[in-house]
């Protein structure tokens, strides 16, 4: 497993990631080629690199491509954070009996596109967050799962105590799943449900990103 920790600080590790767009395949003897292991499931370096490449390709074709790339320098870190969080959230929602249908996702995405000023505008907004167009449905799904989980927990996300209750529930799930990250990518914080110094755009109302854009 990846329990051995590097001597580098989180900020130093993040700087290393920012300076190296795609790290070479790595891993320990227990999990060769893995960027992380979540509940026994490997997230491989190849999968992480493919996700990062998908984002960079989409950003490069945008009129604001250069700026988008500059503003997402920690893409390896934030992408791996998202891939781990997807697994933790899915488990927490499943344990709580929260489900989201394909129709729910389509309806929510249509609403998001309308509020953003169109589908193209929404794609650009998410590219600013390091999310490729083909990952938007997953982001929408996450928002719906979080909303459903908050309702299940009776956690008012507009209040600090409600937000804390939601994070605590995800933290319990995270600990139970034994998230194990390759030291080259930093460390996973079960308490905050986050990798290193990355931001978590998931635990906020879905409208926040649209309203701020």
């Amino acid at each position: 497993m990846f329990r051995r920790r590097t001597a580098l600080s989180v900020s130093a590790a993040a700087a290393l990631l920012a300076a190296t767009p795609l790290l070479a395949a790595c891993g320990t003897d227990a999990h060769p080629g893995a960027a992380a292991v979540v509940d026994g499931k490997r997230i491989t370096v190849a999968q992480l690199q493919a996700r990062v490449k998908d984002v960079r390709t989409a950003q490069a074709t945008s009129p604001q491509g250069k700026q988008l790339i500059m503003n997402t320098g920690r893409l390896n870190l934030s992408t791996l954070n998202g891939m781990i969080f997807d697994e933790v959230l899915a488990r927490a929602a499943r344990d709580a009996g929260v489900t989201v249908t394909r129709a729910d996702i389509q309806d929510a995405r249509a609403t998001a596109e309308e509020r953003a000023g169109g589908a193209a505008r929404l794609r650009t907004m998410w590219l600013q967050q390091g999310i490729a167009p083909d990952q938007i449905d997953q982001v929408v799904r996450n928002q719906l799962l979080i909303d459903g989980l908050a309702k299940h927990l009776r956690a008012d996300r507009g209040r600090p105590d409600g937000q804390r209750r939601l994070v605590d529930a995800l933290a319990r799930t995270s600990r139970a799943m034994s998230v194990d990250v390759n030291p080259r990518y930093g460390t996973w914080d079960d308490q905050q449900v986050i990798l290193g110094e990355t931001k978590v755009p998931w635990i906020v109302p879905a409208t926040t990103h649209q309203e701020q854009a």
Side-chain angles (χ1 to χ4, degrees):
M1 302 293 283
F2 300 129
R3 293 302 178 192
R4 180 179 61 81
R5 299 306 185 198
T6 178
L8 288 175
S9 67
V10 172
S11 59
L16 176 62
L17 286 167
T20 309
L22 294 177
L23 295 172
C26 60
T28 67
D29 292 338
H31 301 290
V37 179
V38 184
D39 200 28
K41 177 181 177 182
R42 297 167 73 250
I43 297 176
T44 69
V45 173
Q47 289 171 328
L48 173 60
Q49 290 181 340
R51 185 76 66 88
V52 170
K53 182 179 180 181
D54 193 22
V55 175
R56 288 301 190 218
T57 299
Q59 289 178 333
T61 60
S62 169
Q64 300 86 29
K66 185 176 181 180
Q67 190 64 39
L68 290 173
I69 292 171
M70 288 179 60
N71 291 343
T72 51
R74 295 181 175 181
L75 191 55
N76 281 286
L77 190 64
S78 62
T79 300
L80 182 58
N81 178 76
M83 295 173 79
I84 296 172
F85 185 79
D86 287 351
E87 299 292 334
V88 174
L89 176 59
R91 168 66 69 82
R94 184 166 65 250
D95 290 348
V98 176
T99 59
V100 171
T101 67
R102 180 62 188 167
D104 292 335
I105 295 173
Q106 291 174 337
D107 289 345
R109 179 164 179 169
T111 299
E113 290 175 346
E114 181 179 357
R115 291 177 178 175
R121 174 62 176 155
L122 184 68
R123 288 194 296 270
T124 298
M125 288 165 58
W126 281 112
L127 276 176
Q128 294 171 348
Q129 301 291 332
I131 303 296
D134 61 3
Q135 290 298 316
I136 293 178
D137 279 357
Q138 178 64 44
V139 174
V140 173
R141 180 177 184 273
N142 281 356
Q143 295 286 359
L144 293 173
L145 288 177
I146 290 172
D147 288 342
L149 185 58
K151 183 177 181 179
H152 172 79
L153 296 169
R154 297 180 180 178
D156 182 352
R157 294 169 59 197
R159 296 169 55 89
D161 59 334
Q163 189 82 341
R164 187 69 254 172
R165 190 181 305 174
L166 178 60
V167 173
D168 286 346
L170 290 168
R172 288 193 296 273
T173 300
S174 178
R175 288 192 294 271
M177 295 178 76
S178 300
V179 178
D180 200 10
V181 176
N182 188 313
R184 181 172 294 196
Y185 293 91
T187 58
W188 179 258
D189 184 342
D190 284 317
Q191 184 175 351
Q192 298 298 322
V193 200
I194 192 173
L195 177 63
E197 295 181 341
T198 53
K199 296 180 181 180
V200 182
W202 323 106
I203 311 178
V204 293
T207 55
T208 298
H209 300 294
Q210 299 153 11
E211 292 168 353
Q212 289 180 344

